[in-house]
Amino acid sequence: QVQLVESGGGLVQAGGSLRLSCAASGGTFRTYHIGWFRQAPGKEREFVAAISRMGGSTYYADPVKGRFTISRDNAKITVYMQMNSLKPEDTALYYCVAASTGWPPQEYDYWGQGTQVTVSS
């Protein structure tokens, strides 16, 4: 029902910043909680951040608290994740995800294809 397309990834030096975008189509965007997951080679896929339907609540994994900020603009049908003070361990493929129920979501209904973030040391 919902298609998610990530953008904004790239190569950045440690300590730098990137802003990821997740553009949605094909569904009623405001009815979904939106989140970000990431997966690095040889590591398990891990939750990064989530934002509620109206944007009033956010939830972050401990490793990114204070450095990453998730936001959404329902009029633009887009979710953003500002990533500051990036570390080499942040290097991963980042996925945008959508969940219809639960806060914070435990199950996700739709996944994007991912955008690569590489942080050099």
Side-chain angles (χ1 to χ4, degrees):
Q1 186 73 270
V2 175
Q3 293 80 49
L4 304 170
V5 179
E6 305 94 333
S7 62
L11 175 64
V12 65
Q13 294 184 31
S17 298
L18 287 172
R19 189 179 74 160
L20 304 185
S21 297
C22 173
S25 64
T28 306
F29 183 67
R30 66 180 181 271
T31 67
Y32 293 91
H33 305 304
I34 303 295
W36 292 90
F37 278 72
R38 67 186 183 185
Q39 187 168 26
K43 296 184 179 180
E44 298 291 329
R45 183 176 296 167
E46 64 177 352
F47 169 80
V48 178
I51 188 164
S52 61
R53 297 182 181 95
M54 297 178 64
S57 298
T58 57
Y59 184 71
Y60 298 92
D62 286 343
V64 308
K65 287 181 179 177
R67 299 189 298 120
F68 291 10
T69 303
I70 188 170
S71 62
R72 71 189 293 164
D73 186 338
N74 286 348
K76 295 184 182 295
I77 320 179
T78 302
V79 166
Y80 306 96
M81 188 164 69
Q82 179 68 40
M83 305 186 296
N84 297 329
S85 302
L86 284 162
K87 305 174 181 179
E89 50 263 46
D90 295 318
T91 295
L93 186 65
Y94 283 73
Y95 297 91
C96 181
V97 297
S100 59
T101 61
W103 183 257
Q106 299 299 307
E107 298 180 357
Y108 292 88
D109 301 297
Y110 304 101
W111 293 71
Q113 296 301 305
T115 186
Q116 179 67 39
V117 171
T118 302
V119 184
S120 62
S121 60

